[in-house]
Amino acid sequence: MIRWELLLASISLTLISLSIVTLNNPTHIVINFGSSYEMSISPLVTSDSITLIQNRSNVISEVEIISSSNHFIVNVSNIDPFITSLPPGSYKFVLIKEINESNNKPTNIIYNVTLTLLIQKMSVVLHQKILYLSGIVGLILSFVIYVIRKLIH
């Protein structure tokens, strides 16, 4: 005979465990681009950091960051990098122009911009709250089934 309350309790504990666990293995991804670069940040990423830096001294780059909901332009140099955290989604980084700091004129040569993505934490599953609450409800139901079974026997 199957002990349904134990089966339900074990499934519930598994759901709770999956909703709590995060992976804390820092991962660096470094990309050099000269005109544009597209990337996606997974919904499983819970903590990230993006750094844009110009590889050449005395050059300021204008980089446009485009997502499905908005876009903005940032100025990047090797002394003053741009650091931010972006929510999950698809992004396109477009190098608009590069300006020589000494004479404030556009450069003739395109120098690469370095994009560094640092992923610090990732979830194991999506919809953590739903899984956690489902696990709690399952534990309560397994306890109710256990009490009813003990009262009947």
Side-chain angles (χ1 to χ4, degrees):
M1 185 164 137
I2 296 177
R3 306 233 14 215
W4 292 104
E5 65 275 6
L6 291 178
L7 179 63
L8 184 58
S10 65
I11 292 171
S12 300
L13 288 173
T14 302
L15 290 175
I16 292 171
S17 298
L18 285 174
S19 68
I20 293 173
V21 172
T22 58
L23 304 175
N24 295 323
N25 186 11
T27 304
H28 277 84
I29 300 170
V30 179
I31 298 107
N32 289 318
F33 66 96
S35 58
S36 68
Y37 182 76
E38 293 186 32
M39 66 180 289
S40 294
I41 299 175
S42 169
L44 295 174
V45 174
T46 57
S47 177
D48 68 354
S49 172
I50 290 187
T51 305
L52 287 170
I53 190 165
Q54 171 55 254
N55 294 331
R56 179 93 174 181
S57 60
N58 296 332
V59 175
I60 297 175
S61 297
E62 285 187 7
V63 179
E64 184 175 17
I65 302 172
I66 304 168
S67 70
S68 60
S69 59
N70 63 2
H71 70 281
F72 52 96
I73 297 174
V74 296
N75 291 328
V76 179
S77 69
N78 70 338
I79 299 170
D80 187 23
F82 176 75
I83 302 171
T84 189
S85 178
L86 296 174
S90 295
Y91 295 93
K92 183 173 184 178
F93 299 87
V94 179
L95 181 58
I96 298 173
K97 64 181 173 180
E98 294 181 321
I99 301 169
N100 191 335
E101 280 185 311
S102 60
N103 59 11
N104 285 334
K105 292 185 179 178
T107 60
N108 293 332
I109 303 169
I110 294 179
Y111 301 103
N112 287 338
V113 174
T114 299
L115 178 131
T116 304
L117 172 63
L118 172 62
I119 299 172
Q120 297 168 341
K121 280 187 178 180
M122 287 187 70
S123 300
V124 178
V125 294
L126 292 174
H127 312 297
Q128 291 174 312
K129 292 179 184 178
I130 294 171
L131 289 178
Y132 183 77
L133 292 175
S134 299
I136 297 296
V137 169
L139 281 177
I140 293 169
L141 284 175
S142 67
F143 181 71
V144 169
I145 293 171
Y146 174 76
V147 169
I148 291 172
R149 187 179 293 248
K150 286 296 179 183
L151 289 176
I152 292 175
H153 290 39

